[in-house]
Amino acid sequence: MFESNYQVYVTRRIVKHYSQLRQLQPAEQAILKLLDSKWSRMRMLDIGVGGGRTTQHFANLVQEYVGIDYAKEMIAACQQRFSASSSRVFKVGDARDMSQFQDESFDFILFSFNGIDVLSHLDRLQVFQEVSRIGKPGGYFCFSSHNLQGLEREFNWRNQISLNPLKTYVNLIMFALLRFFNGSISPQQIKHSDHQIIQDESHNFRLKQYYIRPQAQFDQLKANFGNVRIYSWKSGLEITTQQELIVNADMWLYYLCEIK
Ligand SMILES: C[S@@+](CC[C@H](N)C(=O)[O-])C[C@H]1O[C@@H](n2cnc3c(N)ncnc32)[C@H](O)[C@@H]1O
């Protein structure tokens, strides 16, 4: 089921798309600023580096930067985009098996832009294990993941109506496609689940993506990580209260965790 996600990431058009992305998302900017005094001493691993959007912003700040991706086409695109350097390396590698790296190798590990969501539930847990193994205790793991609460909102047609008729029209078409591609999933099922696999609009409904409630994500991380902080991807602001977390309907959120 998830093999088809890999096939999306090796297509030439998609590789080109990621190679042209430049800007950091607001939550990434906030985290970059938060750890400002630490970057120069850090060894960083950028998992699912794609076309190197984040490389541009982090590689020159850190002591050593390693970017990996399971799509060799993405790694080739990074090697073409950035000149060779001993402190900036790109390698083919799968987050589920990072045996190419020794225990406690990295101070900061990033898996940005929901890259982890194209994996199954069990593979996701395996990634958390691997990250905690190769991360240094006291170091950081930062990733983003789709928010099931945001999807719950999208699954309700009433939320597609706006004052602008054109916007309403486009919203309703996207709503119909979302419901069509996920015909076996009802709003009630979403309401009562912690996580779901959804074919959403990204890359024309070709990806099957994992959506999770923030509280459930928090619980998943407990075993390997401490001091989990959650950021709105849109505003870049930290979500600090339980009430805010329960009602948050961003389509995805950033998690910054300390490695135990
Ligand atoms: C949404 S793209 C994001 C690319 C880049 N990080 C960015 O923010 O622009 C997700 C990337 O994760 C990679 N990816 C997905 N699963 C992976 C895995 N198990 N191991 C390594 N890379 C993976 C994909 O090939 C893809 O390049």
Side-chain angles (χ1 to χ4, degrees), residues 5-6 8-10 14 17-19 21-23 25 28 46-54 68-72 74 92-98 110-119 123 127 203 207 209 254:
N5 287 340
Y6 169 79
V8 171
Y9 284 127
V10 300
I14 303 290
H17 165 77
Y18 283 104
S19 308
L21 297 184
R22 297 189 172 276
Q23 294 214 326
Q25 299 181 6
E28 293 167 337
D46 198 343
I47 305 176
V49 62
R53 178 182 65 87
T54 45
I68 65 166
D69 203 291
Y70 71 171
K72 69 174 187 331
M74 293 287 189
V92 176
D94 191 322
R96 293 166 286 189
D97 174 9
M98 296 192 278
L110 179 67
F111 202 163
S112 65
F113 213 169
N114 315 318
I116 196 169
D117 289 344
V118 296
L119 303 176
D123 283 349
V127 171
H203 305 312
L207 287 178
Q209 306 227 59
Y254 270 81

Side-chain angles (χ1 to χ4, degrees), residues 95-158:
R96 293 166 286 189
D97 174 9
M98 296 192 278
S99 47
Q100 61 176 310
F101 303 117
Q102 291 183 349
D103 295 0
E104 302 185 10
S105 298
F106 296 98
D107 305 281
F108 185 81
I109 301 176
L110 179 67
F111 202 163
S112 65
F113 213 169
N114 315 318
I116 196 169
D117 289 344
V118 296
L119 303 176
S120 71
H121 179 73
L122 287 179
D123 283 349
R124 180 183 190 90
L125 300 184
Q126 174 68 18
V127 171
F128 292 146
Q129 289 283 353
E130 275 293 80
V131 166
S132 84
R133 180 185 66 75
I134 64 171
K136 291 185 192 167
Y140 299 90
F141 174 43
C142 176
F143 70 101
S144 69
S145 184
H146 285 95
N147 180 3
L148 194 63
Q149 290 163 192
L151 186 81
E152 202 173 337
R153 193 180 178 284
E154 292 302 304
F155 250 58
N156 186 339
W157 68 268
R158 288 185 189 86

